[in-house]
Amino acid sequence: TAAKKNNCQIIASTHSYECIDGAVDGIESAFMNDDFCYYRIEREEKAFGLATTNMLIHEDGKTNVICRDCFTMEEWIKSKDINAILMNPPFNGQGMPKDCPINKKKNMDSTKGFYFVKWIADVVNKGTLATILPLSCAIGSENNIADIKQKMLKKHTLKAVFSMPNDVFHPGAAVNVCVMLFDLGIPH
């Protein structure tokens, strides 16, 4: 199957087989196209090392893994003409920009990664963004999350929210997550 051949995971949905098959065909043809380019930015050296090792194991010569802080790369990101984003932001980010709401007791991002998502969405400002976030980012009303969500929706359209199984991360992880899908640059 395409999943085995490309060593990727497929998340089942209520969409028809034809829809999923069409998505797989589109992804496969994109990999064959010389215009397709995949970028991954990792701030932490361990994650960067794992990502580059994974590239080598799978003989991936198209992925560009960069070890830098993406918050310092705004102009570079804009120059790449990106139109699709898949994100798994840190839910408890540390070392965030000064305008990111911080949980002062824990010295971490109090938006649970939503600040990061909004920042990337604003920089790219076109195409589609899919991100995994704590479910509280979709349905929660905590002040900092509600504020960042409201700011996000002023510039970008929320197309869908998919709740994920409780054990989508390793067993014992204490966070319920969802996937949020946005059209960028189109107010909600």
Side-chain angles (χ1 to χ4, degrees):
T1 68
K4 278 187 178 177
K5 185 170 77 179
N6 293 304
N7 191 30
C8 68
Q9 296 176 346
I10 295 181
I11 299 169
S13 74
T14 58
H15 293 293
S16 68
Y17 172 79
E18 291 80 14
C19 181
I20 294 170
D21 194 43
V24 169
D25 288 345
I27 292 167
E28 286 180 341
S29 66
F31 275 111
M32 301 307 221
N33 183 341
D34 287 336
D35 290 338
F36 179 83
C37 195
Y38 174 81
Y39 298 100
R40 179 175 179 165
I41 303 170
E42 289 289 351
R43 180 169 59 181
E44 297 177 6
E45 287 187 25
K46 280 186 180 180
F48 172 76
L50 290 170
T52 53
T53 301
N54 191 43
M55 280 176 50
L56 293 170
I57 290 169
H58 296 288
E59 299 176 3
D60 172 5
K62 289 191 147 201
T63 302
N64 299 285
V65 183
I66 300 154
C67 188
R68 289 199 39 206
D69 181 348
C70 75
F71 295 114
T72 66
M73 300 177 65
E74 183 173 345
E75 292 307 315
W76 183 89
I77 293 168
K78 286 179 181 177
S79 76
K80 297 304 173 189
D81 197 30
I82 295 167
N83 61 12
I85 304 162
L86 300 173
M87 289 186 73
N88 182 7
F91 298 167
N92 297 313
Q94 297 178 333
M96 301 296 282
K98 293 186 188 311
D99 62 336
C100 177
I102 299 295
N103 177 325
K104 294 191 187 329
K105 290 181 184 176
K106 298 180 179 179
N107 194 30
M108 60 182 61
D109 174 7
S110 66
T111 71
K112 303 193 184 311
F114 216 152
Y115 174 92
F116 197 150
V117 172
K118 182 187 176 305
W119 187 88
I120 288 289
D122 289 349
V123 170
V124 173
N125 203 40
K126 68 176 181 199
T128 302
L129 181 149
T131 184
I132 191 164
L133 284 169
L135 191 56
S136 62
C137 290
I139 62 174
S141 60
E142 191 260 303
N143 287 346
N144 288 329
I145 292 173
D147 182 51
I148 205 86
K149 184 170 30 176
Q150 182 180 21
K151 289 176 182 175
M152 179 83 171
L153 295 176
K154 284 183 180 178
K155 295 183 178 182
H156 314 289
T157 298
L158 178 62
K159 296 295 285 186
V161 177
F162 305 93
S163 61
M164 301 300 289
N166 290 341
D167 60 353
V168 74
F169 291 118
H170 65 84
V175 62
N176 293 325
V177 297
C178 66
V179 173
M180 298 177 78
L181 184 66
F182 294 91
D183 280 341
L184 303 183
I186 302 167
H188 190 78

PDB file of all heavy atoms in Angstrom, residues 88-93 108-113 132-134 169 175-177:
ATOM      1  N   ASN A  88       2.943  20.133  14.475  1.00  0.00           N
ATOM      2  CA  ASN A  88       2.799  19.506  15.775  1.00  0.00           C
ATOM      3  C   ASN A  88       3.583  20.397  16.737  1.00  0.00           C
ATOM      4  O   ASN A  88       4.708  20.086  17.104  1.00  0.00           O
ATOM      5  CB  ASN A  88       3.349  18.077  15.763  1.00  0.00           C
ATOM      6  CG  ASN A  88       3.175  17.379  17.092  1.00  0.00           C
ATOM      7  OD1 ASN A  88       2.538  17.901  18.004  1.00  0.00           O
ATOM      8  ND2 ASN A  88       3.758  16.210  17.221  1.00  0.00           N
ATOM      9  N   PRO A  89       3.010  21.556  17.102  1.00  0.00           N
ATOM     10  CA  PRO A  89       3.759  22.508  17.927  1.00  0.00           C
ATOM     11  C   PRO A  89       3.931  21.997  19.355  1.00  0.00           C
ATOM     12  O   PRO A  89       3.153  21.160  19.814  1.00  0.00           O
ATOM     13  CB  PRO A  89       2.870  23.750  17.908  1.00  0.00           C
ATOM     14  CG  PRO A  89       1.496  23.215  17.736  1.00  0.00           C
ATOM     15  CD  PRO A  89       1.648  22.005  16.842  1.00  0.00           C
ATOM     16  N   PRO A  90       4.948  22.503  20.042  1.00  0.00           N
ATOM     17  CA  PRO A  90       5.092  22.122  21.456  1.00  0.00           C
ATOM     18  C   PRO A  90       3.920  22.690  22.258  1.00  0.00           C
ATOM     19  O   PRO A  90       3.601  23.868  22.144  1.00  0.00           O
ATOM     20  CB  PRO A  90       6.414  22.773  21.866  1.00  0.00           C
ATOM     21  CG  PRO A  90       6.643  23.863  20.869  1.00  0.00           C
ATOM     22  CD  PRO A  90       5.964  23.453  19.608  1.00  0.00           C
ATOM     23  N   PHE A  91       3.266  21.838  23.022  1.00  0.00           N
ATOM     24  CA  PHE A  91       2.115  22.282  23.812  1.00  0.00           C
ATOM     25  C   PHE A  91       2.545  23.100  25.023  1.00  0.00           C
ATOM     26  O   PHE A  91       1.747  23.847  25.575  1.00  0.00           O
ATOM     27  CB  PHE A  91       1.279  21.087  24.286  1.00  0.00           C
ATOM     28  CG  PHE A  91       0.678  20.258  23.174  1.00  0.00           C
ATOM     29  CD1 PHE A  91       0.142  19.027  23.458  1.00  0.00           C
ATOM     30  CD2 PHE A  91       0.647  20.689  21.864  1.00  0.00           C
ATOM     31  CE1 PHE A  91      -0.433  18.242  22.463  1.00  0.00           C
ATOM     32  CE2 PHE A  91       0.087  19.927  20.850  1.00  0.00           C
ATOM     33  CZ  PHE A  91      -0.456  18.696  21.157  1.00  0.00           C
ATOM     34  N   ASN A  92       3.779  22.932  25.454  1.00  0.00           N
ATOM     35  CA  ASN A  92       4.301  23.644  26.621  1.00  0.00           C
ATOM     36  C   ASN A  92       5.593  24.353  26.244  1.00  0.00           C
ATOM     37  O   ASN A  92       6.609  24.218  26.912  1.00  0.00           O
ATOM     38  CB  ASN A  92       4.541  22.682  27.782  1.00  0.00           C
ATOM     39  CG  ASN A  92       3.259  22.031  28.247  1.00  0.00           C
ATOM     40  OD1 ASN A  92       2.259  22.711  28.435  1.00  0.00           O
ATOM     41  ND2 ASN A  92       3.268  20.732  28.412  1.00  0.00           N
ATOM     42  N   GLY A  93       5.547  25.108  25.140  1.00  0.00           N
ATOM     43  CA  GLY A  93       6.748  25.748  24.606  1.00  0.00           C
ATOM     44  C   GLY A  93       7.426  26.675  25.591  1.00  0.00           C
ATOM     45  O   GLY A  93       6.777  27.410  26.329  1.00  0.00           O
ATOM     46  N   MET A 108       6.074  28.845  30.621  1.00  0.00           N
ATOM     47  CA  MET A 108       5.835  28.225  29.311  1.00  0.00           C
ATOM     48  C   MET A 108       4.610  28.848  28.651  1.00  0.00           C
ATOM     49  O   MET A 108       3.820  29.523  29.288  1.00  0.00           O
ATOM     50  CB  MET A 108       5.700  26.716  29.431  1.00  0.00           C
ATOM     51  CG  MET A 108       4.579  26.245  30.319  1.00  0.00           C
ATOM     52  SD  MET A 108       4.477  24.445  30.497  1.00  0.00           S
ATOM     53  CE  MET A 108       6.020  24.038  31.229  1.00  0.00           C
ATOM     54  N   ASP A 109       4.488  28.587  27.366  1.00  0.00           N
ATOM     55  CA  ASP A 109       3.389  29.089  26.534  1.00  0.00           C
ATOM     56  C   ASP A 109       2.042  28.717  27.151  1.00  0.00           C
ATOM     57  O   ASP A 109       1.711  27.547  27.277  1.00  0.00           O
ATOM     58  CB  ASP A 109       3.540  28.485  25.127  1.00  0.00           C
ATOM     59  CG  ASP A 109       2.398  28.808  24.184  1.00  0.00           C
ATOM     60  OD1 ASP A 109       1.515  29.610  24.535  1.00  0.00           O
ATOM     61  OD2 ASP A 109       2.401  28.246  23.081  1.00  0.00           O
ATOM     62  N   SER A 110       1.258  29.718  27.514  1.00  0.00           N
ATOM     63  CA  SER A 110      -0.048  29.436  28.134  1.00  0.00           C
ATOM     64  C   SER A 110      -1.139  29.193  27.097  1.00  0.00           C
ATOM     65  O   SER A 110      -2.270  28.876  27.462  1.00  0.00           O
ATOM     66  CB  SER A 110      -0.456  30.589  29.060  1.00  0.00           C
ATOM     67  OG  SER A 110      -0.677  31.765  28.303  1.00  0.00           O
ATOM     68  N   THR A 111      -0.819  29.305  25.791  1.00  0.00           N
ATOM     69  CA  THR A 111      -1.813  29.030  24.750  1.00  0.00           C
ATOM     70  C   THR A 111      -1.738  27.584  24.273  1.00  0.00           C
ATOM     71  O   THR A 111      -2.443  27.199  23.345  1.00  0.00           O
ATOM     72  CB  THR A 111      -1.642  29.963  23.534  1.00  0.00           C
ATOM     73  OG1 THR A 111      -0.461  29.605  22.825  1.00  0.00           O
ATOM     74  CG2 THR A 111      -1.620  31.418  23.947  1.00  0.00           C
ATOM     75  N   LYS A 112      -0.867  26.807  24.878  1.00  0.00           N
ATOM     76  CA  LYS A 112      -0.717  25.372  24.585  1.00  0.00           C
ATOM     77  C   LYS A 112      -0.346  25.102  23.111  1.00  0.00           C
ATOM     78  O   LYS A 112      -0.765  24.134  22.511  1.00  0.00           O
ATOM     79  CB  LYS A 112      -1.961  24.601  24.975  1.00  0.00           C
ATOM     80  CG  LYS A 112      -2.312  24.787  26.447  1.00  0.00           C
ATOM     81  CD  LYS A 112      -3.329  23.818  26.918  1.00  0.00           C
ATOM     82  CE  LYS A 112      -3.759  24.037  28.341  1.00  0.00           C
ATOM     83  NZ  LYS A 112      -2.757  24.197  29.318  1.00  0.00           N
ATOM     84  N   GLY A 113       0.436  26.008  22.530  1.00  0.00           N
ATOM     85  CA  GLY A 113       0.904  25.836  21.153  1.00  0.00           C
ATOM     86  C   GLY A 113       0.146  26.658  20.136  1.00  0.00           C
ATOM     87  O   GLY A 113       0.583  26.808  18.996  1.00  0.00           O
ATOM     88  N   ILE A 132      -2.001  19.654  15.062  1.00  0.00           N
ATOM     89  CA  ILE A 132      -2.500  18.909  16.210  1.00  0.00           C
ATOM     90  C   ILE A 132      -2.301  19.810  17.431  1.00  0.00           C
ATOM     91  O   ILE A 132      -1.254  20.447  17.579  1.00  0.00           O
ATOM     92  CB  ILE A 132      -1.784  17.542  16.359  1.00  0.00           C
ATOM     93  CG1 ILE A 132      -2.489  16.677  17.385  1.00  0.00           C
ATOM     94  CG2 ILE A 132      -0.310  17.690  16.651  1.00  0.00           C
ATOM     95  CD1 ILE A 132      -2.109  15.211  17.312  1.00  0.00           C
ATOM     96  N   LEU A 133      -3.343  19.933  18.229  1.00  0.00           N
ATOM     97  CA  LEU A 133      -3.316  20.780  19.420  1.00  0.00           C
ATOM     98  C   LEU A 133      -4.145  20.121  20.518  1.00  0.00           C
ATOM     99  O   LEU A 133      -4.994  19.274  20.221  1.00  0.00           O
ATOM    100  CB  LEU A 133      -3.926  22.158  19.119  1.00  0.00           C
ATOM    101  CG  LEU A 133      -3.078  23.144  18.327  1.00  0.00           C
ATOM    102  CD1 LEU A 133      -3.923  24.341  17.887  1.00  0.00           C
ATOM    103  CD2 LEU A 133      -1.873  23.610  19.122  1.00  0.00           C
ATOM    104  N   PRO A 134      -3.939  20.535  21.767  1.00  0.00           N
ATOM    105  CA  PRO A 134      -4.820  20.043  22.819  1.00  0.00           C
ATOM    106  C   PRO A 134      -6.273  20.416  22.490  1.00  0.00           C
ATOM    107  O   PRO A 134      -6.536  21.482  21.924  1.00  0.00           O
ATOM    108  CB  PRO A 134      -4.338  20.774  24.068  1.00  0.00           C
ATOM    109  CG  PRO A 134      -2.919  21.116  23.783  1.00  0.00           C
ATOM    110  CD  PRO A 134      -2.876  21.398  22.306  1.00  0.00           C
ATOM    111  N   PHE A 169      -1.041   9.612  21.508  1.00  0.00           N
ATOM    112  CA  PHE A 169       0.352   9.679  21.924  1.00  0.00           C
ATOM    113  C   PHE A 169       0.633   8.452  22.778  1.00  0.00           C
ATOM    114  O   PHE A 169      -0.243   7.646  23.028  1.00  0.00           O
ATOM    115  CB  PHE A 169       0.643  10.971  22.691  1.00  0.00           C
ATOM    116  CG  PHE A 169       0.590  12.197  21.814  1.00  0.00           C
ATOM    117  CD1 PHE A 169      -0.330  13.196  22.043  1.00  0.00           C
ATOM    118  CD2 PHE A 169       1.448  12.338  20.737  1.00  0.00           C
ATOM    119  CE1 PHE A 169      -0.386  14.323  21.241  1.00  0.00           C
ATOM    120  CE2 PHE A 169       1.405  13.454  19.918  1.00  0.00           C
ATOM    121  CZ  PHE A 169       0.482  14.440  20.178  1.00  0.00           C
ATOM    122  N   VAL A 175      -3.089  14.117  27.760  1.00  0.00           N
ATOM    123  CA  VAL A 175      -3.643  15.220  26.993  1.00  0.00           C
ATOM    124  C   VAL A 175      -4.566  14.678  25.899  1.00  0.00           C
ATOM    125  O   VAL A 175      -4.231  13.727  25.212  1.00  0.00           O
ATOM    126  CB  VAL A 175      -2.531  16.119  26.393  1.00  0.00           C
ATOM    127  CG1 VAL A 175      -1.661  15.357  25.422  1.00  0.00           C
ATOM    128  CG2 VAL A 175      -3.096  17.351  25.750  1.00  0.00           C
ATOM    129  N   ASN A 176      -5.761  15.252  25.826  1.00  0.00           N
ATOM    130  CA  ASN A 176      -6.686  14.939  24.738  1.00  0.00           C
ATOM    131  C   ASN A 176      -6.390  15.919  23.615  1.00  0.00           C
ATOM    132  O   ASN A 176      -6.305  17.121  23.852  1.00  0.00           O
ATOM    133  CB  ASN A 176      -8.135  15.083  25.194  1.00  0.00           C
ATOM    134  CG  ASN A 176      -8.501  14.042  26.220  1.00  0.00           C
ATOM    135  OD1 ASN A 176      -8.027  12.914  26.167  1.00  0.00           O
ATOM    136  ND2 ASN A 176      -9.346  14.402  27.165  1.00  0.00           N
ATOM    137  N   VAL A 177      -6.259  15.409  22.389  1.00  0.00           N
ATOM    138  CA  VAL A 177      -5.863  16.271  21.288  1.00  0.00           C
ATOM    139  C   VAL A 177      -6.884  16.253  20.159  1.00  0.00           C
ATOM    140  O   VAL A 177      -7.744  15.375  20.087  1.00  0.00           O
ATOM    141  CB  VAL A 177      -4.470  15.881  20.733  1.00  0.00           C
ATOM    142  CG1 VAL A 177      -3.396  16.060  21.789  1.00  0.00           C
ATOM    143  CG2 VAL A 177      -4.462  14.470  20.190  1.00  0.00           C
TER     144      VAL A 177
END
